[in-house]
Amino acid sequence: MKLAIYLITVLVLLACKQKSSEEIIQTKEQGGFPFVLPDEKPNRQMSAAMERIYTDYAAPQPQNNELFSQFKYTELKGFDYNNFDGTISRRDPSKVLFHNGKYYIWYTYRNTPTPPQGAKKSNDTIPSSDWDLADIWYATSTDGFNWEEQGVAIKRPKKPIVGWRSVTTTDILEWEGKFYLYYQGFMEASGKRGDDCPVAVSYADSPEGPWTPYNKIVIPNGAEGEWDQYSIHDPYPLVHDGKVYIYYKSDFGERPDLVRMQGLAIADNPLGPFKKHPLNPLITSGHETSLFPFKEGVAALVYKDGPEHNTIQYAKDWVNFEIASITELMPYAAAPYVPDAFTNTTDGRGITWGTAHFINANSNWSKFCSKLVRFDCDLSLDVHDPEMKEHRVVHKPDVYYRQGLSKEQKERIAKENEALIGNSNNE
């Protein structure tokens, strides 16, 4: 028996060696790689990197990749921030909805006597964070650049109803002639135990309201010990396969190294019950949650946090995401205009613009506030914008200098230099 096993092992090793030799000979005989990069995968042996650009991406060059884009930003008109003194903040906008000739957005709106003071100093009027003591407001526009603020859509309910402390980070769903706003409902000041909040919902017959609160948790936090036991953030509804798909983010792990990943909950109707997908988390990176139907699947803007940040990802089956492209300067809290978000489409056309936010808009942490902005891109099957497909973007020096060394880093470098000079003098 031992002899037989030995002989089999020798034969396998010889076969592998012969195959390896044949591959080397074949590689030598195939000649150098073509001068013009082929659009289609060539029939030849290639390195792992060359294999990857043909198998992992929609096109071997970014400018030909339908899911690659740069992002450009424009100031929005129509919003006042009280000279950015930290008392007024607008952030975390919803997807853009077009209805009856107007664009609509909903967003987290904070108007407090002081800027955020942290959890320990917070009370009924002093916010702990930028999104504490907030309501949900909305604005309308006819061009996407100039906006008219309409006022409150969802006001914080009375204690102890879900969201009594703060209602934030909303997103819109249109379903069978009605409209639904999903949002995070805080029941304590953010930061006391974390950003603990389940998902609540209100509904209306018109984007103008009035909004009727469901006053129940529609997507609960996970069970103790599960990845989403404390928080379900950024509820982001889309319609697929005749059902409501809500993608969401959760923070988990131990501070200061929190992990942020994305999951999915599915229901047959907007008020639930929602069933979380058994493969959650579905996206291993990203801070905010931003997706759009694309062809038969769904694409995701994955910005900040995690091993696959700064990527655009795609899931043909709406569940198993793969990296489709790598890009830069992606929008914070991207909230795109998605014309076919609620059409149950199997031919998603993509996106070209939306709104987002800039945090710490005045670069003063003691007067922290956020502002809404517009972004434009070309992630559309119906638009071809070569400027958006440029993948050699040059930034001015001040962009890099703003990423300067901290005081602690400068002190560490100084000590290292002193030690190096001291050791050199002692030799």
Side-chain angles (χ1 to χ4, degrees):
M1 177 62 75
K2 290 183 178 179
L3 179 61
I5 293 173
Y6 173 78
L7 290 173
I8 291 172
T9 303
V10 169
L11 290 172
V12 169
L13 291 172
L14 287 173
C16 291
K17 185 176 181 181
Q18 181 180 358
K19 183 179 179 181
S20 177
S21 299
E22 290 174 352
E23 287 177 347
I24 292 172
I25 292 171
Q26 182 181 348
T27 302
K28 288 181 177 178
E29 290 176 349
Q30 70 181 359
F33 193 84
F35 175 74
V36 177
L37 183 67
D39 292 331
E40 303 293 332
K41 183 180 178 181
N43 184 21
R44 58 181 288 129
Q45 288 187 304
M46 297 187 294
S47 67
M50 290 302 298
E51 286 278 350
R52 190 162 59 244
I53 68 170
Y54 286 103
T55 58
D56 289 7
Y57 303 114
Q61 296 188 80
Q63 67 267 25
N64 299 323
N65 187 341
E66 294 162 331
L67 283 176
F68 170 81
S69 181
Q70 295 293 342
F71 297 87
K72 299 192 175 186
Y73 297 89
T74 307
E75 192 96 12
L76 293 182
K77 304 295 184 182
F79 298 109
D80 173 64
Y81 292 90
N82 208 21
N83 294 318
F84 296 100
D85 66 355
T87 60
I88 295 179
S89 185
R90 295 178 184 86
R91 56 179 294 144
D92 294 305
S94 70
K95 286 188 296 294
V96 180
L97 176 73
F98 187 74
H99 181 77
N100 285 346
K102 290 189 292 188
Y103 297 109
Y104 289 77
I105 56 171
W106 293 261
Y107 43 88
T108 302
Y109 175 84
R110 176 179 59 80
N111 189 337
T112 51
T114 71
Q117 301 292 307
K120 291 182 179 180
K121 294 182 180 180
S122 66
N123 56 32
D124 290 344
T125 59
I126 297 176
S128 67
S129 64
D130 194 29
W131 50 91
D132 190 26
L133 297 176
D135 300 304
I136 294 168
W137 282 40
Y138 78 110
T140 60
S141 173
T142 56
D143 63 6
F145 294 93
N146 298 280
W147 292 83
E148 184 177 349
E149 194 158 59
Q150 302 297 329
V152 67
I154 309 294
K155 193 169 181 61
R156 282 170 281 154
K158 293 183 178 180
K159 190 175 183 178
I161 298 173
V162 59
W164 68 265
R165 177 70 192 188
S166 194
V167 287
T168 74
T169 319
T170 191
D171 216 306
I172 186 71
L173 167 70
E174 184 177 355
W175 176 274
E176 297 182 354
K178 290 186 179 293
F179 301 86
Y180 298 81
L181 283 175
Y182 297 89
Y183 44 91
Q184 296 173 203
F186 284 88
M187 291 177 283
E188 65 177 4
S190 178
K192 287 194 171 181
R193 191 177 62 180
D195 281 340
D196 300 0
C197 55
V199 172
V201 65
S202 292
Y203 50 89
D205 293 325
S206 163
E208 308 282 346
W211 296 90
T212 301
Y214 187 49
N215 286 337
K216 295 181 182 179
I217 295 172
V218 289
I219 304 179
N221 293 348
E224 184 177 354
E226 294 181 346
W227 74 291
D228 56 359
Q229 67 172 331
Y230 289 135
S231 59
I232 297 181
H233 296 167
D234 303 277
Y236 190 97
L238 295 169
V239 176
H240 172 60
D241 197 24
K243 299 180 180 181
V244 181
Y245 275 48
I246 292 187
Y247 294 88
Y248 65 91
K249 179 200 80 178
S250 187
D251 292 337
F252 61 108
E254 299 294 335
R255 291 181 181 274
D257 300 315
L258 286 178
V259 179
R260 294 181 172 95
M261 294 186 180
Q262 321 286 323
L264 169 63
I266 304 172
D268 291 324
N269 69 75
L271 299 181
F274 280 88
K275 184 177 181 180
K276 295 178 183 177
H277 199 281
L279 294 184
N280 283 349
L282 304 184
I283 301 176
T284 64
S285 305
H287 195 91
E288 294 84 14
T289 307
S290 307
L291 304 96
F292 54 93
F294 194 79
K295 298 182 178 178
E296 68 267 53
V298 65
L301 303 178
V302 183
Y303 184 47
K304 289 197 303 182
D305 297 326
E308 294 180 346
H309 65 283
N310 283 341
T311 63
I312 299 171
Q313 301 193 17
Y314 181 68
K316 186 176 181 179
D317 62 358
W318 290 65
V319 170
N320 293 287
F321 287 84
E322 301 284 352
I323 295 174
S325 70
I326 301 168
T327 185
E328 57 188 323
L329 283 181
M330 296 179 73
Y332 275 54
Y337 170 49
V338 188
D340 47 16
F342 315 124
T343 61
N344 205 34
T345 184
T346 56
D347 182 29
R349 307 309 296 172
I351 62 171
T352 59
W353 72 279
T355 63
H357 69 217
F358 289 159
I359 62 171
N360 198 14
N362 56 11
S363 300
N364 186 336
W365 290 98
S366 67
K367 297 180 179 180
F368 194 99
C369 63
S370 303
K371 64 181 293 186
L372 300 177
V373 299
R374 174 185 168 117
F375 74 88
D376 283 81
C377 62
D378 177 7
L379 295 169
S380 170
L381 297 174
D382 301 319
V383 171
H384 178 64
D385 187 338
E387 288 186 63
M388 293 296 187
K389 298 294 185 179
E390 176 59 58
H391 51 100
R392 294 189 65 216
V393 176
V394 178
H395 301 294
K396 294 181 179 179
D398 67 292
V399 173
Y400 298 95
Y401 289 137
R402 284 200 297 270
Q403 317 306 316
L405 294 168
S406 67
K407 178 183 177 182
E408 291 78 9
Q409 289 172 321
K410 290 178 180 178
E411 290 174 350
R412 171 182 57 79
I413 293 170
K415 289 179 181 178
E416 290 172 352
N417 286 334
E418 289 175 3
L420 184 63
I421 293 171
N423 291 334
S424 176
N425 291 336
N426 292 331
E427 289 178 357

